[in-house]
Amino acid sequence: MIKLNGHFGSIRGRFSVRHLFLFSASALLVIVTYRPYSNNNSAIVADSSQVIDFDRPTSKECRPTNKIAFMKTHKCASSTIENILFRHALRENLNVAMPLKGNYLSRTELFNRSSVLNTPWGGLPVDIFTLHNRWHRDQVMALMGPTTFAFSVVRDPVDQFESLYNYMSLSATYKTDLKGFVRLLRTNQSAINHKPRGGLGRFGRNQIAFDWGVSPKLFGKDPDVIRDRIHQLDDEFELVLIAERMEESLVLLADRLCWPLEYVTHLDLNVRKPERTVRLEEDERHVLGRWLNFDTDIYEHFCRRFDDHVARFNSFGQPDRMEEQVRLLRQFNLRLRERCVIQRVGNEKLQGKFLETHNDTFGYLIRPNMPDCDPYAMSEPAYLSLFREKLTHRAKMALKRNSFVHAPSIRTK
């Protein structure tokens, strides 16, 4: 007779030695044969003697992540990444952080969760955060939860500013084209520094830092002050992708999220037409890069961090593990284009859910009668309309079930 006493009363049972042996053997078999989901295509299991950093999972044995916050920086290939997250939200029936209207969660002010909570769907839990905003990690985590995986993307600041200058029509702000702007930087930088940011305060110097919530008051500070702020930002993101190394970036992202590599299969979206690009000479790039001091330091810092991530990724497999994963991703992307795409065309030739807001970019004609192909090329406006419809329906269903009370109006600093 075995007697177990506890808070829930006594439990009695009779076990023969044979029954105990069979029970123990079955339990041991379950433990030995259990293997959690792994997204490692090469099926290499990490040595158990290695210490795994909880904040930097290796994805050898992990669980897929569905709580994701992407800080979408302007003109950093972020539309392609956003599309991957939108598709994941559709695939898993997840809720996307959505304002009542428009495609910005905040513009010149830092993000405040009230922009999501003060909506008809504000009482629903949020799984995916990906629209443009000015980053405020505390408010994002208050909205989504402290275990949310936060990441962002950066790009060479000179190339990013060149794209921003033309795409956002900053020539109207500075009364000159980009080359004229660089000449002004050489002769009268202070006059430029005192100009207000373009686009009603949204666009201008050190756009990456501005998007990440850095005050423009810090742009002229001592390099040590800038460096300290960058280290603070480093602590706020689990991963920062590099636009010029997008394939490697997406391999790392899939690894960190514990996703199959197929989940980051993609078409390159919102790519500008070549005739809309301004080619700068090396000395012009140097002048512009110095003015973009904060973004230049950010980019250099996270390029070094990215090299560390790749080295660590390879260290948990074979030395050419990244190279192999990039090769696989390219194969997936090629098959996607062959199966789904008729032709890449200018945005002016698109219509319906594939039509973007700017005709300076390319889009894709998708083969008809293949609805599973559509999400890869759908525009942001089409996705926003779709998600608002879904969120509105889910909120109504939740109210009918009395499963939540609509969040009150919240105004937090």
Side-chain angles (χ1 to χ4, degrees), residues 7-36:
H7 295 294
F8 301 99
S10 65
I11 302 174
R12 300 172 182 267
R14 298 179 180 273
F15 293 90
S16 67
V17 173
R18 180 170 61 87
H19 289 153
L20 278 172
F21 174 79
L22 290 174
F23 176 81
S24 300
S26 300
L28 180 62
L29 181 63
V30 170
I31 293 172
V32 170
T33 57
Y34 171 73
R35 292 187 65 182

Side-chain angles (χ1 to χ4, degrees), residues 11 24 68 90 122 156 166 173 201 219 232 236 276 301 348:
I11 302 174
S24 300
I68 305 166
L90 285 182
D156 182 293
N166 290 283
T173 300
F219 293 171
Q232 292 172 13
E236 297 190 18
R276 299 298 300 167
H301 174 87
E348 69 279 358

